[in-house]
Amino acid sequence: MQTKFKKSYRFAVRTSVYITLYTTLLMGVFFYYFTELKWFALLWYAICVFCFTFVIIQFSVERFIYKRVKKIYDDLTLLESANMSNGPITTNMQTLTEEIDKFARDKKLEIETLKVREEYRREFLGNVSHELKTPLFTVQGYVLTLLDGGINDINIREKYLERASKGIERLGYIINDLDMITKLEVGDLSLNIEVFDIVELAKHTFEMFEMKANKKKITFTFDRDYSEPIMVRADKERIQQVLANLIVNSIKYGRLKGTTEISIENLIKNKVIVRVTDNGEGISKIHMPRLFERFYRVDKSGSRKEGGSGLGLSIVKHIIEAHRERIYVESEFGVGSEFSFTLEKVQ
C-alpha cells in the first residue's frame, strides 16, 4: 500500500473561509466601536486567520480522517483489489464512495463469472466422464465375455472383437477431438493457409458421406449450378472438417428422404458466406445459446445411437474463429437448421 494520499482541500478551504469571515467580522465590529477602523490591518488579519485555520484543519483533521480511511484500503487490499491497492489513498468521501462502489461491482461480476465457470467445469467433467465411460464399459464387457470363454466360439469372437474395436475407435475420436479443441483454444494449432476452390471442396465432402446419406435417403444438393470456381484463402483440411461435421449433423438429425443443401454467396467484396441447410428436426430456441459448447446435446435422453464424440459443433466454432471468421446458426424446431460461416475470398 502506498503511503502517499490524495488530499481533499475543499473541506479545509470552506471551513477556513467560514472561520475567517466570522472572526474578521467580529474584529471589524470591535475596531469600529472601540478603536479606529483600519481596513488594511483588517485584511491582513483575515489572511493570517485563513492561513492558520487552513493549516490546522488540513494537517490535523485530515490526518485524523486519513488514518481511518487507510484502514479501509488495507482491509480491501486483503481481498486483493489491484485497483484499490495500486492507487493513491484519497480522503475525499465522494471519491472514496465511488471507488468502493466500483470495487463492489467488480467483485460481484468476478464472483458471478467464477460461479458460471464452476458450473461449466462440473458439467464439462460430468460430460467427459459420461462420454468416456460409455465406450470403456462397452469394450470391457466384450473383453470380459471373451475371457470367460466366448473366445472359443469363432462367431462370438469375431462379433465381439469388432464391437470392441468400434468402442476403442469412439474413444479415439473423443480424445483426438478434445486435443484439437485444446490446441485451438490456446492457439497452439497452426493453420496451413492456402488458396483453394470452396465449391470443389464442398462437392468432395458430399461424396465422402454419400453412402451415409443414402441410408436415410437424404439428397445432397447445391442451391444452384456453380460452373465457375470460387477461390478462398483458408486451411483447406480444417475447412473440410467444418463442412464434414455440419453435413454429418444434417444427416444425423435429418428427416427420412430429406435434403442437405450447400450455398455459397458473396457477402462483401472480399468475403463469402457458406451455408449448410437441412430440413431436419430443427433446434429449439432454448438450446441455441449453448449449441457450440463441448458435449452439449440438444437431445437430453442421453441416446448415443448416432455415435460421434459430441464435440463436432464445438470444433467447428473453434476452427472458424481460428481463421478470424464468424459462424452463424438459424433454426426452427420441426422445420430445419442452417449453419453458415464466412471465409476470405480471393479475387
Side-chain angles (χ1 to χ4, degrees):
M1 172 65 67
Q2 300 179 2
T3 56
K4 70 173 185 176
F5 61 95
K6 179 182 176 183
K7 302 178 182 180
S8 174
Y9 296 99
R10 186 179 301 174
F11 172 78
V13 170
R14 185 170 59 247
T15 307
S16 299
V17 168
Y18 291 155
I19 295 174
T20 302
L21 289 175
Y22 174 75
T23 57
T24 303
L25 180 62
L26 187 64
M27 287 301 296
V29 172
F30 178 82
F31 285 138
Y32 180 78
Y33 284 104
F34 297 98
T35 62
E36 182 182 355
L37 181 60
K38 296 181 180 180
W39 294 104
F40 182 75
L42 195 62
L43 178 62
W44 272 107
Y45 172 80
I47 293 174
C48 291
V49 170
F50 176 82
C51 293
F52 177 76
T53 54
F54 177 81
V55 170
I56 292 298
I57 294 170
Q58 183 63 34
F59 291 97
S60 297
V61 178
E62 188 148 340
R63 291 298 294 181
F64 174 78
I65 298 173
Y66 167 76
K67 291 179 181 179
R68 283 148 182 78
V69 172
K70 184 177 183 298
K71 187 176 185 305
I72 296 175
Y73 277 84
D74 292 339
D75 292 341
L76 291 176
T77 303
L78 295 176
L79 297 176
E80 298 182 355
S81 173
N83 293 335
M84 295 291 290
S85 61
N86 292 334
I89 299 173
T90 178
T91 52
N92 186 320
M93 292 299 105
Q94 181 179 354
T95 303
L96 179 62
T97 301
E98 291 174 354
E99 290 185 357
I100 296 296
D101 288 343
K102 184 179 182 301
F103 167 77
R105 289 195 301 270
D106 291 344
K107 283 298 177 183
K108 182 179 179 181
L109 180 61
E110 183 179 340
I111 291 171
E112 290 176 351
T113 302
L114 289 174
K115 286 182 178 179
V116 171
R117 289 180 178 177
E118 177 63 18
E119 183 179 354
Y120 175 78
R121 184 189 68 83
R122 288 197 301 266
E123 186 173 344
F124 172 69
L125 290 176
N127 286 331
V128 171
S129 174
H130 181 78
E131 293 291 339
L132 295 177
K133 180 173 62 178
T134 302
L136 274 175
F137 284 174
T138 300
V139 172
Q140 184 183 39
Y142 292 139
V143 171
L144 289 176
T145 302
L146 292 173
L147 290 175
D148 287 341
I151 195 171
N152 298 320
D153 188 323
I154 188 170
N155 292 326
I156 293 179
R157 181 174 61 198
E158 290 182 358
K159 181 171 65 175
Y160 279 22
L161 285 175
E162 183 178 349
R163 291 179 179 178
S165 176
K166 288 182 179 179
I168 295 173
E169 185 178 357
R170 177 174 167 76
L171 281 172
Y173 285 148
I174 296 172
I175 293 170
N176 289 335
D177 287 348
L178 278 172
D179 180 61
M180 176 175 293
I181 289 178
T182 302
K183 289 181 178 178
L184 284 166
E185 286 181 342
V186 301
D188 194 31
L189 184 65
S190 59
L191 298 176
N192 181 26
I193 303 299
E194 58 182 303
V195 176
F196 60 91
D197 181 9
I198 186 64
V199 176
E200 187 64 29
L201 184 67
K203 291 179 180 178
H204 178 64
T205 310
F206 269 160
E207 292 172 358
M208 289 171 57
F209 300 101
E210 190 172 2
M211 291 182 63
K212 189 177 182 70
N214 286 338
K215 293 180 180 179
K216 296 181 70 172
K217 299 181 180 179
I218 291 176
T219 303
F220 288 153
T221 181
F222 287 89
D223 64 321
R224 60 185 175 87
D225 182 25
Y226 290 91
S227 56
E228 298 291 332
I230 300 176
M231 309 304 292
V232 297
R233 181 179 284 108
D235 186 320
K236 185 176 181 179
E237 182 179 349
R238 300 303 175 195
I239 297 302
Q240 184 173 33
Q241 188 175 6
V242 168
L243 288 172
N245 283 339
L246 295 179
I247 291 172
V248 167
N249 275 352
S250 73
I251 297 173
K252 285 181 182 179
Y253 306 107
R255 65 181 61 180
L256 189 66
K257 298 182 180 180
T259 60
T260 297
E261 179 185 272
I262 288 183
S263 63
I264 305 164
E265 304 171 11
N266 290 322
L267 190 60
I268 55 178
K269 183 178 180 181
N270 64 333
K271 295 284 184 182
V272 295
I273 185 165
V274 182
R275 306 181 191 274
V276 179
T277 309
D278 66 69
N279 58 352
E281 297 177 5
I283 305 166
S284 177
K285 290 183 179 179
I286 193 174
H287 300 296
M288 300 292 276
R290 302 187 60 189
L291 197 59
F292 294 101
E293 288 183 12
R294 302 178 185 182
F295 296 115
Y296 184 78
R297 291 184 181 271
V298 174
D299 180 11
K300 297 300 182 181
S301 66
S303 173
R304 296 296 183 266
K305 64 180 180 179
E306 297 292 352
S309 66
L311 297 166
L313 287 180
S314 183
I315 289 175
V316 166
K317 177 177 178 288
H318 282 89
I319 290 177
I320 296 301
E321 290 182 348
H323 284 79
R324 300 183 184 277
E325 300 292 346
R326 302 289 300 276
I327 184 166
Y328 310 92
V329 57
E330 294 181 9
S331 185
E332 184 176 349
F333 187 71
V335 177
S337 304
E338 178 183 279
F339 290 85
S340 57
F341 58 91
T342 59
L343 288 176
E344 180 184 353
K345 182 181 180 181
V346 179
Q347 302 296 330

